[in-house]
Amino acid sequence: MKKPVITVIGSINMDLVATAKRVPEQGETILGETFHLIPGGKGANQAVAAARLGAEVHMIGAVGADAFGTELIQHLERERIFIDNVKPVTDTGTGVAMIVVSEGDNRIIVIPGANHALRPEDIEQCEEVIAKSDVCLLQLEIPLPAVEKAASLAKKHGVLVILNPAPAQPLPASLLEQVDILTPNEHERDIILKELDAVKFAHKLVVTEGARGVSIVKDGQPVVIPGFRVPVVDTTGAGDTFNGALAVALSKGMALEDACRFGNAAAALAVTKLGAQTGMPTEAEVLALIEAEKGGTK
Ligand code: RIB
């Protein structure tokens, strides 16, 4: 069977991850437990999730001419992701994210750096690769005009467009009209639809609800696809894993509900390890979890 071809247009960050028993109060200094440099960025995370699940993945993005940039490019190559369209930028550093993980939850500050150097013209140059994709997967850690250009090129070529609207910002209706599937969490959903007719876009929504799973609208009715119960170490990248897996599953022709179940299982496995990409599973691992759940052994 032909591999799904997925083009991810988005951010590439180095995550600076500190773990601590609790988060500090305003003005307080506390001693943490561990520190790790871990590849991240919503775009790169979603690319890695899809590649581990067997897709041919093309990454469009930007990194700085610095040590983090070099390391992240090498990392993407090791994950067998095509990086020909990752642009080197000389006047700003590679994107970084400061992440504090505490009690299985996280707080994140992203400094976009090179990610914000991506322009619509850069995306235009990648029309050929977008055109031959099954899915174009987008997030909001790159400038909105670049996201809009990507969505319109994908639409022009009949490519399925999935937008993970994170971090959230109010979005123009013109963009949402180009998108086939929107994957916000509940908080992001309220922000992106704030100034819009929410009913008009309800059928495009796949709302991630953490451990509860995801909700969609089917035949005008809300349907919840429940999550899988696992021991949680770090939820960073859970949404990214879901999006990468959803893209792979839909490319393979799965129905939306089944694709969401596949995404939920992938995300559940991802949260059992520290770091956004560390626990991202293979297809065999996802299928094993789904089977185990069916057999009632999990
Ligand atoms: O979604 C998780 C990601 O958000 C992290 O890897 C971090 O880089 C931020 O972009």
Side-chain angles (χ1 to χ4, degrees):
M1 193 180 169
K2 181 186 157 285
K3 274 186 171 192
V5 179
I6 294 171
T7 295
V8 181
I9 301 159
S11 59
I12 304 169
N13 295 336
M14 183 60 87
D15 290 353
L16 283 58
V17 184
T19 64
K21 283 213 166 61
R22 64 175 179 87
V23 288
E25 300 292 332
Q26 181 89 29
E28 186 192 20
T29 301
I30 62 166
L31 296 182
E33 294 176 321
T34 66
F35 175 75
H36 303 269
L37 288 176
I38 307 179
K42 293 186 192 303
N45 292 346
Q46 295 181 19
V48 169
R52 292 225 185 128
L53 291 166
E56 173 184 318
V57 180
H58 297 261
M59 180 82 212
I60 301 175
V63 292
D66 49 26
F68 283 168
T70 308
E71 203 175 322
L72 291 171
I73 292 273
Q74 288 170 353
H75 170 71
L76 291 172
E77 279 185 304
R78 279 196 299 274
E79 295 284 346
R80 280 174 281 178
I81 291 167
F82 290 85
I83 45 98
D84 323 38
N85 295 306
V86 175
K87 171 173 124 166
V89 174
T90 50
D91 56 356
T92 179
T94 298
V96 291
M98 315 287 300
I99 304 183
V100 177
V101 176
S102 182
E103 295 165 355
D105 221 332
N106 64 43
R107 287 168 194 228
I108 306 180
I109 299 178
V110 174
I111 311 296
N115 295 305
H116 270 194
L118 263 193
R119 319 233 162 283
E121 306 84 86
D122 301 316
I123 311 299
E124 226 153 38
Q125 284 173 12
C126 305
E127 180 164 355
E128 211 177 304
V129 70
I130 293 173
K132 69 166 196 181
S133 309
D134 296 306
V135 173
C136 173
L137 189 49
L138 303 164
Q139 320 76 31
L140 297 177
E141 283 186 338
I142 58 170
L144 196 58
V147 173
E148 291 179 304
K149 175 56 77 181
S152 72
L153 283 177
K155 209 73 223 144
K156 174 177 160 193
H157 293 284
V159 175
L160 187 85
V161 181
I162 302 179
L163 171 62
N164 173 222
Q169 57 175 282
L171 294 175
S174 57
L175 171 60
L176 298 192
E177 275 151 16
Q178 313 263 30
V179 169
D180 298 293
I181 298 182
L182 273 163
T183 58
N185 61 27
E186 294 153 287
H187 166 75
E188 290 157 356
R189 174 197 56 201
D190 296 343
I191 295 174
I192 61 165
L193 296 176
K194 201 169 174 190
E195 288 148 27
L196 302 175
D197 174 5
V199 178
K200 186 173 165 200
F201 299 106
H203 65 287
K204 299 189 176 192
L205 286 174
V206 172
V207 181
T208 56
E209 298 177 357
R212 286 200 302 282
V214 301
S215 66
I216 60 171
V217 174
K218 191 179 172 189
D219 303 326
Q221 297 301 318
V223 175
V224 174
I225 298 109
F228 291 74
R229 279 206 204 155
V230 288
V232 177
V233 173
D234 177 13
T235 56
T236 311
D240 298 330
T241 310
F242 176 82
N243 277 276
L246 182 73
V248 171
L250 291 173
S251 302
K252 287 186 168 177
M254 266 189 216
L256 184 59
E257 260 179 277
D258 293 336
C260 288
R261 193 163 298 111
F262 186 83
N264 282 348
L269 290 163
V271 302
T272 61
K273 305 253 168 69
L274 180 75
Q277 298 176 14
T278 321
M280 285 176 178
T282 61
E283 185 185 31
E285 289 167 332
V286 173
L287 295 177
L289 179 60
I290 294 173
E291 276 311 305
E293 177 92 356
K294 273 188 201 155
T297 54
K298 284 265 161 180

